[in-house]
Amino acid sequence: MAEVAECSARRETGKSRHLWAAPAALCASLALAACGDINRFQTASPTSTPTKPARMATPTPAVEREHERILSSYGGSYDDPKLEALIGKTVDRLVAASDRPDQGYKVTILNSGAVNAFALPTGQLYVTRGLIALASDTSELSSVLSHEMAHVLAKHASIREDQARQAAVVTRVVTEMGSDPDLTALALAKTKLTMASFSRAQEFEADGIGVSISAHAHFDPYGASRFLTSMERNAALKAGKTSLDPRVQDFLSSHPATPERVQNAQNTARQYTSPEGGERDRETYLAAIDNIVYGEDPSEGFVRGRRFLHPKLGFTFAAPETFTLDNTAQAVIGVREGGTQAMRFDVVRVPAEQTLGDYLNSGWMEGVDKSSVEEIMVNGFPGASAIAHGDQWQFKVYALRFGSDVYRFIFAAKQKTTESDRNARETVNSFRRLTLEEIQAARPLRIKIINVQPGDTVESLSHRMAGVDRPADRFRILNGLDAHAQIKARDRVKIVVD
């Protein structure tokens, strides 16, 4: 719920994002990972006059809007001068070694724990801090950057769209929740925020071009096969943990990896050097990523189990036991096992002089039973509730004033039952202020680089990992260690700490 953290400041500047005004569909985020935007990769003509260093052409308004959409979807940019300097030097080396040194690139680090990277045809490259944290040396990062550069250079404009598995559900709920065509279009557009997938042939081509660029830049060309393997292992570790948020969709969602891709990357690398050749630049890389935020950034609110906490704004609530919570860029989304119930929590702008009962009855949502609107108090916060009916879903809506903001809970159920009523009521009643101790304890997890001491083992160091599941497996993946590899004294390794 990235926008929520910036609500007050953005209201003053008049630049609030669409979350303020958009009572978008409750389940619009359910298909965030399912669709791709085919227009995103229509490649612009490269600049004809070489410049040194290579510079991008002035972005068009359309490109700037696309950039802002990406930032909005992935939690904004992540500012870290050390990382930016390392990436800048790496890109400069790759550009100089490519067949198009006149093509300019600009890299944005996204504030997302996802392991992802993608490019716009104009040369704007995006890499998440989650991917940066997973890579073990500069050659692995260079393999990702050169791969994305290859998509730009090869002009891969023919992009396949993934099947939207729940598109029918999304469309139906959007239709039921409002008739405003702009808001409906906005809700549906949110289902297309993830990057479209490339074809298998395009991925192989980009792998080959990328490995070649890395090798000619004197990076270890085997970084590509190593990092593809790490990403596959990382994806396998979280298998079964589906997410509704594009920020946590990983690189393999839009760049399908197969054993053939790993083998192909290895075969290409052999054309340039032996497995021991090329520069990995591990020490410089580890120094640059020391202290990088890992996983969710608590400043934007975060999920712990069934509970959502927002330490910056000072509130928390708990979802029902059968719900899985997802903190997306636009809202907190909860879905019950089986998909028969769902919830959305977001923030809206309501004038101070307007009562919350009047707001719920103001027409922003269709099907509201005006006779059901009721003024309530929840843990000292004034609020209001209402019931709304659709063709396929039944809704219970709550609005609560918390300081100068109004927070909204929207619950949807296929059928209104005693359980669905209880789930909605208990969730809203759990909304409360965070204690000072809870706020102080809500620190982000970070990557810490340490020296292995005599007697340290994978198991002993994994016990020092904080806030992660399966810490031994996570430790091995973060450090590029296979199931049987061991560590030795004076090795430099990554651990996760709070």
Side-chain angles (χ1 to χ4, degrees):
M1 194 172 175
E3 269 88 354
V4 175
E6 302 173 299
C7 286
S8 299
R10 291 187 178 278
R11 177 185 295 151
E12 291 173 2
T13 62
K15 295 181 180 179
S16 62
R17 296 179 186 169
H18 51 253
L19 178 59
W20 280 117
L26 169 67
C27 297
S29 295
L30 290 178
L32 276 168
C35 297
D37 185 350
I38 196 167
N39 295 320
R40 176 167 283 113
F41 289 92
Q42 291 178 345
T43 307
S45 299
T47 55
S48 58
T49 304
T51 59
K52 294 183 180 181
R55 297 181 182 276
M56 287 181 56
T58 302
T60 65
V63 169
E64 291 180 345
R65 288 194 297 270
E66 183 69 359
H67 175 72
E68 288 301 316
R69 281 197 293 270
I70 291 170
L71 290 181
S72 175
S73 301
Y74 280 82
S77 61
Y78 182 74
D79 300 321
D80 186 317
K82 286 191 304 181
L83 283 177
E84 291 162 6
L86 174 68
I87 290 174
K89 291 179 181 178
T90 303
V91 170
D92 286 346
R93 281 177 61 175
L94 295 172
V95 171
S98 74
D99 292 337
R100 285 291 311 279
D102 59 308
Q103 170 68 56
Y105 299 90
K106 178 182 178 182
V107 183
T108 299
I109 305 173
L110 297 171
N111 187 25
S112 167
V115 177
N116 209 350
F118 41 86
L120 298 183
T122 53
Q124 291 188 229
L125 309 182
Y126 300 86
V127 59
T128 61
R129 59 173 168 77
L131 185 146
I132 294 170
L134 180 61
S136 292
D137 56 48
T138 308
S139 73
E140 293 186 4
L141 178 64
S142 77
S143 74
V144 174
L145 295 171
S146 60
H147 178 99
E148 297 306 329
M149 290 166 59
H151 281 308
V152 176
L153 296 172
K155 300 183 180 180
H156 289 154
S158 177
I159 308 303
R160 68 174 176 85
E161 288 195 341
D162 292 334
Q163 293 291 328
R165 292 171 299 168
Q166 301 187 59
V169 173
V170 174
T171 303
R172 183 164 61 247
V173 178
V174 169
T175 301
E176 290 182 14
M177 288 192 64
S179 58
D180 187 323
D182 291 333
L183 298 181
T184 301
L186 173 64
L188 292 175
K190 290 177 184 176
T191 69
K192 295 189 173 185
L193 286 172
T194 49
M195 298 299 99
S197 296
F198 291 106
S199 71
R200 183 174 181 272
Q202 288 171 333
E203 288 299 345
F204 273 89
E205 183 182 7
D207 285 340
I209 296 172
V211 170
S212 174
I213 293 173
S214 287
H216 283 106
H218 305 295
F219 288 113
D220 176 14
Y222 288 87
S225 58
R226 289 199 310 274
F227 197 53
L228 277 171
T229 300
S230 291
M231 287 190 290
E232 285 188 299
R233 293 175 63 201
N234 184 68
L237 192 62
K238 68 174 189 177
K241 296 182 179 180
T242 57
S243 176
L244 311 177
D245 190 358
R247 294 174 298 172
V248 300
Q249 299 302 315
D250 61 29
F251 185 86
L252 302 185
S253 300
S254 54
H255 304 69
T258 63
E260 291 84 2
R261 276 192 69 194
V262 175
Q263 187 62 52
N264 183 65
Q266 289 175 339
N267 292 339
T268 305
R270 289 191 187 103
Q271 300 174 22
Y272 299 98
T273 184
S274 66
E276 292 76 29
E279 180 182 333
R280 294 194 181 185
D281 200 24
R282 178 174 168 81
E283 290 304 315
T284 300
Y285 189 80
L286 293 181
I289 69 169
D290 191 22
N291 209 42
I292 188 175
V293 171
Y294 182 81
E296 285 187 284
D297 185 346
S299 68
E300 305 294 356
F302 63 101
V303 173
R304 287 289 182 268
R306 294 185 296 109
R307 181 168 291 281
F308 177 74
L309 305 95
H310 206 306
K312 184 180 288 187
L313 298 179
F315 67 80
T316 183
F317 67 86
E321 289 185 7
T322 54
F323 277 56
T324 298
L325 277 185
D326 234 320
N327 178 27
T328 79
Q330 288 77 32
V332 180
I333 304 293
V335 180
R336 185 187 185 277
E337 293 176 5
T340 58
Q341 296 179 40
M343 62 165 284
R344 175 187 175 104
F345 172 83
D346 60 14
V347 60
V348 290
R349 176 178 288 159
V350 178
E353 62 274 13
Q354 184 179 26
T355 69
L356 294 181
D358 287 343
Y359 164 70
L360 293 182
N361 213 10
S362 63
W364 63 269
M365 182 177 185
E366 287 190 339
V368 173
D369 181 354
K370 294 185 177 182
S371 65
S372 72
V373 176
E374 179 182 4
E375 302 283 346
I376 59 174
M377 290 290 292
V378 175
N379 295 326
F381 305 116
S385 66
I387 294 171
H389 305 282
D391 292 337
Q392 303 289 332
W393 297 83
Q394 306 300 312
F395 300 96
K396 180 76 174 185
V397 187
Y398 294 85
L400 303 177
R401 282 198 191 274
F402 183 82
S404 60
D405 297 320
V406 172
Y407 293 100
R408 183 175 59 184
F409 288 91
I410 306 173
F411 299 89
K414 290 276 192 176
Q415 292 182 330
K416 183 176 181 295
T417 64
T418 301
E419 182 203 27
S420 65
D421 282 346
R422 182 177 66 251
N423 285 342
R425 185 172 60 253
E426 290 181 353
T427 299
V428 172
N429 286 337
S430 72
F431 183 91
R432 62 172 176 82
R433 295 184 187 277
L434 285 169
T435 66
L436 180 60
E437 291 77 14
E438 288 173 318
I439 293 173
Q440 292 173 337
R443 297 188 300 268
L445 300 177
R446 294 184 181 272
I447 293 288
K448 182 175 177 60
I449 307 301
I450 62 171
N451 292 314
V452 176
Q453 301 298 316
D456 284 342
T457 64
V458 169
E459 289 69 27
S460 67
L461 291 183
S462 67
H463 289 154
R464 295 173 57 181
M465 302 263 280
V468 297
D469 58 345
R470 299 173 62 179
D473 292 332
R474 185 74 59 189
F475 178 87
R476 288 186 177 278
I477 291 171
L478 277 174
N479 289 287
L481 302 172
D482 63 30
H484 306 292
Q486 296 300 317
I487 55 177
K488 59 183 184 295
R490 293 188 296 278
D491 280 352
R492 299 270 283 166
V493 296
K494 295 179 275 186
I495 62 173
V496 179
V497 298
D498 58 12

